């Protein structure tokens, strides 16, 4: 296979026609995204910052997004213990159309959303990220709040510039794994503390012009192996990946590129065991679900059927030099999402 073109030169992301200059993947954000260079209708533009922070026992996901004709601001609180539980609250906004002013780079800047019920803010600075949120009437009248720090040393990430099979449509995405998490979350009187010795956060930073109807698969997880951070990002369904996939293993700050990945989701249901396989044999996993965060939105024009499944991953990952890494019961997630929006 080996069709993973790496982009290494600093350049503008789009050309004068609004198409990608150089489709491929990179270890850092070497291509520069500018809203002003987009040639497709602005209401087709989708921009989001999404963080997920997890321990073995609990986690949370935070979304600030401007999807052109709809904004979707969301928080999910997750528990993976004896009685797995999740609760998600979402605030929808009509026609944000750039008013949220999401940063044009993931490296630095402030992403924020404020209304009477929800205050959420993501700060990106050199070497660290901070997630703060206060969500009134989040669950049973209780307020959710958090203040979480993620440490991001110099390290490889996964950046992909993917075209769709339609002119002026593209997806520019960065996944940052293995950021050590500290801080707290609180719901009413219940407090959750993150410990950087084994808890991690991941950023999914997306900007692009999407086609209307898409199904994607995405999985991500982090742990320590031999005292060094290990993470993975696997996925497909995000446009034409003939130049490069977004499948990467991270170990000790370095990215190891994979070819194609396939999720084998049992017909019997999302909460039965899955298998995840790779075309190059370098990522072979068993996935045992614990919790299915299922969501189904149907606003006629906007339809979303989501299954974000949290569970334990075990198996073998092989680095570029042939080193085999074994993982066992790593808490992570794998999802299938079908969107028409």
């Amino acid at each position: 296979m080996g069709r993973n073109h790496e982009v290494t030169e600093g350049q503008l992301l789009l050309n004068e026609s609004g198409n990608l200059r150089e489709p491929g993947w990179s270890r850092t954000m070497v291509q520069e995204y500018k809203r002003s260079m987009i040639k497709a209708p602005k209401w087709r533009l989708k921009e989001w910052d999404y963080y997920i922070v997890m321990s073995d026992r609990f986690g949370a996901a935070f979304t600030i997004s401007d999807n052109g004709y709809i904004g979707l601001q969301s928080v999910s609180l997750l528990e993976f213990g004896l009685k797995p539980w999740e609760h998600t609250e979402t605030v929808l906004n009509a026609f944000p159309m750039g008013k949220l002013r999401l940063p044009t780079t993931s490296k630095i800047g402030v992403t924020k959303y404020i209304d009477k019920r929800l205050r959420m803010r993501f700060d990106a600075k050199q070497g660290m990220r901070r997630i703060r949120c206060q969500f009134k009437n989040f669950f049973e009248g209780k307020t959710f709040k958090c203040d979480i720090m993620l440490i991001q040393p110099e390290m490889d990430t996964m950046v992909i510039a993917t075209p769709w099979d339609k002119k002026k449509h593209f997806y520019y995405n960065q996944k940052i794994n293995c950021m050590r998490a500290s801080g707290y979350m609180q719901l009413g009187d219940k407090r959750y503390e993150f410990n950087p010795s084994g808890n991690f956060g991941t950023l999914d930073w997306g900007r692009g012009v999407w086609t209307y109807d898409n199904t994607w698969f995405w999985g991500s997880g982090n742990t320590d192996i031999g005292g060094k951070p290990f993470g993975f990002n696997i996925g497909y369904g995000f446009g034409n990946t003939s130049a490069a996939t977004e499948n990467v293993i991270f170990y000790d700050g370095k990215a190891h590129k994979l070819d194609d990945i396939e999720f084998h989701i049992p017909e019997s249901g999302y909460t039965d065991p899955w298998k995840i396989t790779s075309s190059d044999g370098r990522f072979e996993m068993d996935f045992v679900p614990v919790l299915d965060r299922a969501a189904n939105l149907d606003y006629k024009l906007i339809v979303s059927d989501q299954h974000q499944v949290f569970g334990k991953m075990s198996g073998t990952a092989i680095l570029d030099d042939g080193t085999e890494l074994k993982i066992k019961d790593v808490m992570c997630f794998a999802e299938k999402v079908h969107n028409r929006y």
Side-chain angles (χ1 to χ4, degrees):
M1 300 289 293
R3 52 149 222 272
N4 280 308
H5 173 66
E6 185 174 350
V7 180
T8 54
E9 261 179 53
Q11 58 185 296
L12 291 170
L13 178 70
L14 301 178
N15 62 23
E16 292 69 31
S17 308
N19 295 311
L20 289 175
R21 283 174 190 267
E22 189 177 354
W25 81 284
S26 43
R27 295 166 196 271
T28 60
M29 204 167 265
V30 295
Q31 303 190 76
E32 186 184 351
Y33 168 79
K34 285 188 172 181
R35 273 184 75 105
S36 60
M37 298 187 74
I38 291 167
K39 301 300 185 199
K42 290 292 189 284
W43 55 271
R44 295 299 315 157
L45 182 55
K46 305 195 185 310
E47 301 184 319
W48 68 77
D49 290 21
Y50 171 92
Y51 285 94
I52 186 157
V53 189
M54 290 172 62
S55 79
D56 284 347
R57 294 177 294 116
F58 54 82
F62 307 90
T63 307
I64 296 179
S65 73
D66 178 340
N67 293 327
Y69 53 78
I70 192 166
L72 190 146
Q73 325 313 330
S74 175
V75 174
S76 296
L77 180 60
L78 310 147
E79 292 187 356
F80 311 126
L82 289 173
K83 287 187 175 174
W85 172 88
E86 70 89 15
H87 186 72
T88 299
E89 284 290 314
T90 299
V91 173
L92 295 174
N93 324 107
F95 298 101
M97 301 284 279
K99 289 198 282 285
L100 294 180
R101 290 196 164 83
L102 269 64
T104 56
T105 174
S106 70
K107 294 174 189 173
I108 193 164
V110 176
T111 303
K112 64 181 178 180
Y113 176 83
I114 299 172
D115 67 20
K116 286 177 182 169
R117 187 177 168 213
L118 171 62
R119 301 175 69 88
M120 189 153 53
R121 178 182 172 115
F122 309 150
D123 287 273
K125 295 177 185 167
Q126 189 71 37
M128 56 79 70
R129 294 167 185 275
R130 188 175 183 186
I131 301 165
R132 282 173 285 180
C133 175
Q134 182 174 339
F135 207 140
K136 292 177 183 169
N137 192 22
F138 180 79
F139 180 70
E140 294 180 342
K142 296 175 206 161
T143 295
F144 171 90
K145 57 185 180 183
C146 74
D147 191 346
I148 299 167
M149 294 285 277
L150 303 178
I151 299 302
Q152 183 189 344
E154 283 292 315
M155 60 193 206
D156 286 350
T157 70
M158 190 297 301
V159 182
I160 191 126
T162 310
W164 302 93
D165 293 326
K166 187 175 181 181
K167 286 198 172 0
K168 301 172 187 169
H169 288 61
F170 68 93
Y171 179 45
Y172 192 42
N173 177 237
Q174 182 178 39
K175 305 280 184 14
I176 304 178
N177 282 64
C178 300
M179 293 186 285
R180 294 193 182 273
S182 58
Y184 77 92
M185 309 186 294
Q186 193 154 339
L187 178 63
D189 297 330
K190 187 163 189 182
R191 194 173 171 94
Y192 306 81
E193 300 263 0
F194 288 107
N195 182 339
S197 68
N199 301 167
F200 294 93
T202 296
L203 169 64
D204 169 15
W205 186 95
R207 306 288 186 268
V209 179
W210 285 56
T211 50
Y212 175 64
D213 192 332
N214 295 287
T215 299
W216 79 64
F217 300 81
W218 178 38
S220 180
N222 304 293
T223 190
D224 279 305
I225 298 179
K228 295 174 179 175
F230 166 88
F232 61 86
N233 184 79
I234 52 177
Y236 52 102
F238 303 95
N240 182 333
T241 55
S242 57
T245 72
E246 66 164 68
N247 301 314
V248 176
I249 302 164
F250 301 98
Y251 187 57
D252 196 20
K254 291 281 175 272
H256 300 258
K257 196 72 189 60
L258 305 172
D259 276 343
D260 291 306
I261 294 284
E262 189 172 356
F263 291 19
H264 304 272
I265 304 170
E267 289 182 11
S268 52
Y270 285 92
T271 52
D272 287 340
W274 305 15
K275 280 208 177 302
I276 294 175
T277 59
S278 51
S279 61
D280 52 15
R282 290 177 54 194
F283 194 85
E284 302 294 316
M285 298 287 166
D286 290 300
F287 178 60
V288 179
V290 171
L291 173 69
D292 177 10
R293 190 188 72 75
N296 206 320
L297 304 173
D298 189 348
Y299 298 104
K300 302 306 172 230
L301 190 67
I302 299 161
V303 181
S304 183
D305 182 11
Q306 308 173 18
H307 288 272
Q308 185 180 32
V309 181
F310 293 86
K312 295 181 175 178
M313 195 85 84
S314 302
T316 305
I318 299 177
L319 305 183
D320 287 344
D321 66 1
T323 302
E324 283 195 13
L325 299 178
K326 299 281 188 193
I327 67 169
K328 178 111 178 84
D329 294 336
V330 173
M331 202 68 207
C332 62
F333 71 87
E335 70 180 29
K336 179 183 179 183
V337 175
H338 178 206
N339 280 337
R340 294 204 299 273
Y341 69 146

